[in-house]
Amino acid sequence: MKQLIEHFHSHIKYNSHLRRLPISTLILVCYLVLPGCSSINYYFQSISGHFEVIRSRQAIDQILSRTGTQNTIRQKLIATKDILDFAHQELLLPDNGSYRHYTYLNRPYVVWNVIAAPAYSMETKEWCYLFLGCLSYRGFFNQAAAMDYANSLQKDNYEVYIGGVSAYSTLGWFKDPVINTMLNRED
């Protein structure tokens, strides 16, 4: 719990929504809610992974103005801007500020999802999360942590699959950046 509190306190400056809340409120919510839903370690890695994505972001316009930006990245970011402009101006989709920044993570995927089912079953295991409800996967920002968790499930007689995920979204909770792992796809 102490690590979680220190992590919140040290990274609170990166999110304006969190800055508005008193730290005591965040601590109270973590203390009362997190242990009942899942392990604190799982939520800690989720929060840490998210802050890594947010902390590393840079404005796309700044990246495009640099002379040393790789041409392939430059072209993908220009396409991203064009697609967003079309979505907002022509399709009249709301602009929540997402995808105006770029984050480079030095790895092939932003998240690794663990999917599991009991041996000889077609029903996947579900995990329940705060604010999201129940899902048929558990996501990890660290591949080794995903593999460790998958190994623990296999010991409990589950069939397990680990899949790398190139895209990441907070579903409107935060202003999501474009991540380098998203740029490996076709426009």
Side-chain angles (χ1 to χ4, degrees), residues 20-136:
R20 294 181 197 138
L21 293 175
I23 189 72
S24 58
T25 303
L26 292 172
I27 293 168
L28 181 63
V29 167
C30 290
Y31 182 74
L32 294 175
V33 178
L34 293 182
C37 295
S38 187
S39 71
I40 289 176
N41 287 337
Y42 177 75
Y43 278 101
F44 180 74
Q45 74 83 30
S46 294
I47 292 166
S48 298
H50 171 73
F51 279 122
E52 176 189 9
V53 169
I54 297 302
R55 183 178 55 243
S56 303
R57 67 185 176 183
Q58 300 174 40
I60 288 176
D61 287 333
Q62 289 177 343
I63 294 169
L64 293 175
S65 69
R66 292 185 199 138
T67 56
T69 302
Q70 290 179 358
N71 194 43
T72 54
I73 292 173
R74 179 181 302 282
Q75 295 307 315
K76 291 286 188 173
L77 293 179
I78 289 171
T80 299
K81 285 183 62 152
D82 291 344
I83 291 165
L84 279 175
D85 289 343
F86 177 81
H88 302 294
Q89 294 167 6
E90 302 297 324
L91 301 178
L92 303 177
L93 295 175
D95 185 353
N96 69 354
S98 287
Y99 308 117
R100 301 291 182 194
H101 289 81
Y102 174 73
T103 296
Y104 177 80
L105 300 174
N106 192 22
R107 57 184 189 244
Y109 300 106
V110 63
V111 175
W112 286 264
N113 283 345
V114 176
I115 301 166
Y120 310 110
S121 172
M122 298 299 285
E123 296 284 326
T124 58
K125 178 176 176 54
E126 285 193 339
W127 291 271
C128 296
Y129 305 96
L130 291 171
F131 310 114
L132 294 177
C134 297
L135 301 172
S136 60

Side-chain angles (χ1 to χ4, degrees), residues 4-12 18 23 26 30 47 51:
L4 186 60
I5 293 167
E6 289 172 358
H7 192 75
F8 264 127
H9 186 59
S10 67
H11 296 318
I12 207 148
L18 295 178
I23 189 72
L26 292 172
C30 290
I47 292 166
F51 279 122

